[in-house]
Amino acid sequence: MTPPPGESAGLPPEDRTTSPHTGWTRAHWAALADGLLTAVDRHRSPRGARVDLPGPASGHGPDSDGLEGFARTFLLAGFRILGERGADPTGLLERYAAGLAAGTDPASPEAWPRPDRLGQAKVEAASIALILQLTRPWLWDRLDDAVRHRTVDWLATVVGQPYPPINWVWFRVVVESFLREVGGPWSAADIEEDLAVHARLRRPGGWLSDGADQRAYDHYTGWALHLYPLLWARAFDVTGTLCPPALRQTWADDLGRYLHDAVHLIGADGSPLLQGRSLIYRFASAAPLWTAAYTDVGELPPGLLRRAASGTLRHFTEHGVPDRDGLLTLGWHHAWPPMKQSYSGPGSPYWAAKGMLGLALPADHPVWTAPEEPLPVERGDVQRVIEAPGWLVSGRRDDGVITVVNHGTDHAAPGAGGTDAPLYARLGYSTATVPPLTGPTSRAPLDNAVVVLDQEGRATHRTGFTHHYARAEAGGVLLAASGGRTHWVEPAADAGPDHGSGHPGTTTRGPVVTVVSVVRDGVEVRLARVVFDEPQERPVTVRLGGWPLAAADRPTTGPGALARTDRLRSTLHPLRGLDRAGVTVVRDAGPLGGWTAIPWLATGGRLPADGLVAARVTLTGTEEHPHEPPELLVAVERVTLRWPDGHRLDVTI
């Protein structure tokens, strides 16, 4: 993993003895954190209460954005101070103490918006309260009484306030727990209510849905819903009262199970899965790994936890993060503002600080001293079923890319309408691709989608589908299915704020589409059956899209449904009913490159009488996958797949 020239400027020499996979040690993490904190100093307001970073404002306005810049960089500063047991040679505590004094003073020109008047302030209050608790001997206990009183008054405005029943409930738990510790007002009923919400978010295998009535599976499971409970139980005096030991053990067991899945979702190059909202938080995805180390939870060895976390952080530093000014921008590998949601402002990316929680652990902790251990995809090919989100996970050691075939996640409830959210409702996600996030295909599904086109060429959406199953079969086969009534959507003129979900609109009833994915050796056979309520007098176009490839230069395309870059190859091979092929190329549609190419197959005339179409779908390194596709034997409501090695599988569809 040799970085490009200049990317490691200012970092210590690599240590390939302790860290054979990444070369990174705690010293690398510390140097990067110090660089990030130094860079934001140039953007502090005169009294220090705001960090006003460059970039497009959020929907909450500049006052909120300045508070966000303060609170989220305070997270990183707090972890840094805690890991050094209060040592503070650069005066971080002094600068943040000055900001607290100004921000909590209603008469100050830099006074912070109150949490009871601005929802986003509820989020940032939690970061402030958490770090005040973790660094209490070195900061809180040394503040002037007047500043402490004002801080309590500002934080106390959260008591009794409504919080949405998602990861936000932990923001109130953390703030009120700090208030309880320092003698301020708090509500046991608030905390009990919030813990009850968290319990309703729990799903099989240690996963959590960020919404009790939604299939909202994404990185929030790790960087919020696993991070806060165990940090809270350790940082605050709640054991035996608000947090009985059995509850803490439940959370520990959940995180332990979740991490066994999470390490299978990291590419060999360290990239996290590009799926779900708020991806501008980047290496915050490492937060649950460090949470396990910090709270001594789970069975994963410390060398694997560090290898996964260091690989993730190094992935971004090798791709231009932070930028030339030392800042985290709204984007992925570089600034790409269309990636943000409406709540995202210039300070939002600094929630990446959660992924640097490991710095709160001292240099002699086993997570820093144990030799790195390889990721699952570095040990061999990966095949795994994750039950809660309905994911089939594959990865090949030769290219190190992780793919997920998705049959259980859409950030919606079963039966919901609206457009498909590109980062939730597609049939596939990976560590090397991302769906187009702007342009026509962002609201008209093309990549990793099975759609029916109406006479105007509009594509159906599948949000609200029914998840049927996701399971492992004999012979190294993974199998998943989903389906239901599709719909065409005319998006509302005022769709409201973008929180990463699909958009509402006027819907028109479409056909029932059932999709089955059969994955073996990392190759998917995608079966789809389309059933209309009434016989169709005109030819019906069914389109099946493949993996989107992005690059700085235009990808190579053709023949047929083939797209190729210098690293990856995306292909579709028709197996039944699909006799048209092509590749759609779009510009400036995503953060991985200026060009994105999406191969597709479609029916050219009449849909087969039984409505069944099928294709082989592959994402590989630059060479075609060597395995031949299986033969399909089609009967009524059943398809038999027979591979060249003789293995057979019957699928009901």
Side-chain angles (χ1 to χ4, degrees):
M1 295 180 65
T2 302
E7 291 293 313
S8 293
L11 296 181
E14 293 182 351
D15 178 352
R16 291 286 173 173
T17 301
T18 304
S19 303
H21 296 278
T22 69
W24 276 39
T25 64
R26 189 179 187 277
H28 292 80
W29 284 78
L32 185 62
D34 291 345
L36 289 169
L37 291 167
T38 297
V40 300
D41 275 341
R42 298 190 295 273
H43 301 278
R44 291 188 190 278
S45 56
R47 301 189 184 191
R50 294 167 50 149
V51 175
D52 295 312
L53 294 159
S58 74
H60 303 301
D63 289 344
S64 174
D65 294 346
L67 166 61
E68 190 174 59
F70 177 94
R72 299 190 179 196
T73 58
F74 188 37
L75 267 180
L76 181 54
F79 297 156
R80 190 77 178 95
I81 295 297
L82 179 58
E84 301 302 327
R85 301 301 181 257
D88 182 21
T90 63
L92 287 169
L93 294 177
E94 180 180 352
R95 296 196 289 281
Y96 282 99
L100 277 168
T104 58
D105 182 358
S108 168
E110 297 181 10
W112 292 331
R114 289 171 29 155
D116 60 341
R117 296 175 181 171
L118 176 70
Q120 190 62 35
K122 295 176 180 178
V123 181
E124 309 317 320
S127 294
I128 292 170
L130 178 63
I131 295 305
L132 288 175
Q133 178 68 11
L134 292 176
T135 64
R136 188 169 172 178
W138 311 295
L139 180 55
W140 179 259
D141 291 348
R142 299 179 183 181
L143 290 173
D144 292 340
D145 285 345
V147 176
R148 286 202 293 260
H149 287 309
R150 292 201 307 268
T151 302
V152 166
D153 289 345
W154 185 79
L155 292 172
T157 62
V158 311
V159 178
Q161 286 292 308
Y163 279 64
I166 56 173
N167 71 88
W168 277 46
V169 296
W170 280 104
F171 306 146
R172 186 166 68 172
V173 169
V174 168
V175 171
E176 293 199 22
S177 297
F178 176 72
L179 290 168
R180 175 176 177 265
E181 298 264 344
V182 299
W186 68 287
S187 166
D190 281 356
I191 293 179
E192 291 170 2
E193 176 185 327
D194 295 338
L195 295 182
V197 169
H198 180 86
R200 294 197 296 272
L201 305 182
R202 295 180 64 234
R203 299 293 186 269
W207 282 72
L208 296 107
S209 173
D210 195 24
D213 62 344
Q214 294 185 329
R215 298 174 293 205
Y217 300 103
D218 51 34
H219 289 293
Y220 276 87
T221 293
W223 65 39
L225 293 170
H226 277 307
L227 173 79
Y228 289 110
L230 291 168
L231 271 187
W232 175 68
R234 172 167 171 166
F236 296 94
D237 182 18
V238 294
T239 301
T241 53
L242 297 173
C243 181
L247 180 58
R248 196 265 183 195
Q249 187 60 51
T250 294
W251 295 338
D253 292 343
D254 282 349
L255 176 58
R257 288 192 294 268
Y258 170 77
L259 287 177
H260 278 286
D261 289 332
V263 294
H264 286 81
L265 296 173
I266 302 172
D269 66 352
S271 178
L273 193 69
L274 282 101
Q275 180 271 340
R277 66 190 179 99
S278 298
L279 289 177
I280 59 166
Y281 302 157
R282 296 181 174 98
F283 47 87
S285 61
L289 302 163
W290 292 125
T291 302
Y294 188 76
T295 59
D296 193 24
V297 161
E299 302 172 350
L300 296 186
L304 175 56
L305 293 174
R306 187 177 83 255
R307 188 272 173 268
S310 289
T312 297
L313 182 57
R314 181 161 183 170
H315 172 81
F316 288 101
T317 64
E318 289 181 340
H319 289 87
V321 178
D323 71 3
R324 293 179 181 273
D325 295 323
L327 302 177
L328 301 181
T329 58
L330 291 160
W332 186 248
H333 289 159
H334 52 80
W336 203 73
M339 198 170 182
K340 76 186 192 78
Q341 269 74 60
S342 59
Y343 53 79
S344 307
S348 298
Y350 284 83
W351 237 25
K354 292 181 172 189
M356 303 187 86
L357 171 63
L359 285 170
L361 294 167
D364 61 356
H365 190 279
V367 80
W368 292 118
T369 60
E372 285 183 341
E373 298 187 24
L375 291 169
V377 76
E378 293 173 312
R379 295 195 300 267
D381 292 349
V382 166
Q383 286 215 139
R384 190 175 186 88
V385 176
I386 305 182
E387 177 184 356
W391 288 353
L392 307 182
V393 182
S394 298
R396 283 185 293 275
R397 185 178 181 181
D398 61 1
D399 59 38
V401 175
I402 299 296
T403 63
V404 164
V405 176
N406 168 39
H407 282 272
T409 299
D410 59 359
H411 209 276
T419 63
D420 292 350
L423 288 170
Y424 285 102
R426 297 293 189 258
L427 285 164
Y429 297 96
S430 84
T431 58
T433 66
V434 67
L437 302 179
T438 63
T441 66
S442 64
R443 292 197 181 187
L446 173 59
D447 64 288
N448 276 312
V450 177
V451 301
V452 179
L453 303 180
D454 66 9
Q455 297 303 312
E456 287 75 43
R458 298 185 308 158
T460 53
H461 295 257
R462 74 178 192 131
T463 291
F465 62 81
T466 298
H467 167 54
H468 296 314
Y469 55 80
R471 61 178 183 254
E473 298 281 347
V477 175
L478 305 182
L479 185 65
S482 59
R485 177 73 61 182
T486 61
H487 46 275
W488 288 280
V489 183
E490 187 63 40
D494 181 11
D498 173 18
H499 290 167
S501 300
H503 295 283
T506 302
T507 61
T508 302
R509 183 183 176 97
V512 172
V513 177
T514 302
V515 180
V516 175
S517 294
V518 184
V519 179
R520 192 179 192 221
D521 296 323
V523 175
E524 177 192 0
V525 173
R526 189 175 297 169
L527 309 168
R529 191 183 296 277
V530 180
V531 178
F532 288 88
D533 295 332
E534 299 176 355
Q536 299 299 293
E537 296 180 359
R538 297 179 179 179
V540 172
T541 300
V542 176
R543 187 180 67 202
L544 188 152
W547 291 94
L549 295 190
D553 299 321
R554 185 184 178 107
T556 302
T557 61
L562 164 67
R564 183 169 53 207
T565 67
D566 60 358
R567 181 188 175 198
L568 295 171
R569 180 185 181 105
S570 173
T571 59
L572 293 172
H573 179 79
L575 299 178
R576 190 176 195 264
L578 299 163
D579 49 13
R580 294 172 54 214
V583 179
T584 295
V585 180
V586 293
R587 290 295 309 271
D588 301 323
L592 295 183
W595 295 87
T596 301
I598 308 158
W600 53 266
L601 297 171
T603 54
R606 290 284 179 183
L607 187 67
D610 57 7
L612 181 71
V613 297
R616 181 178 68 165
V617 185
T618 60
L619 177 69
T620 65
T622 54
E623 298 301 320
E624 176 63 280
H625 197 280
H627 297 287
E628 291 294 321
E631 179 186 5
L632 302 187
L633 305 175
V634 180
V636 178
E637 296 186 352
R638 189 183 71 188
V639 177
T640 298
L641 291 84
R642 185 168 61 195
W643 282 268
D645 65 0
H647 185 70
R648 295 169 60 102
L649 177 71
D650 290 334
V651 175
T652 300
I653 181 171

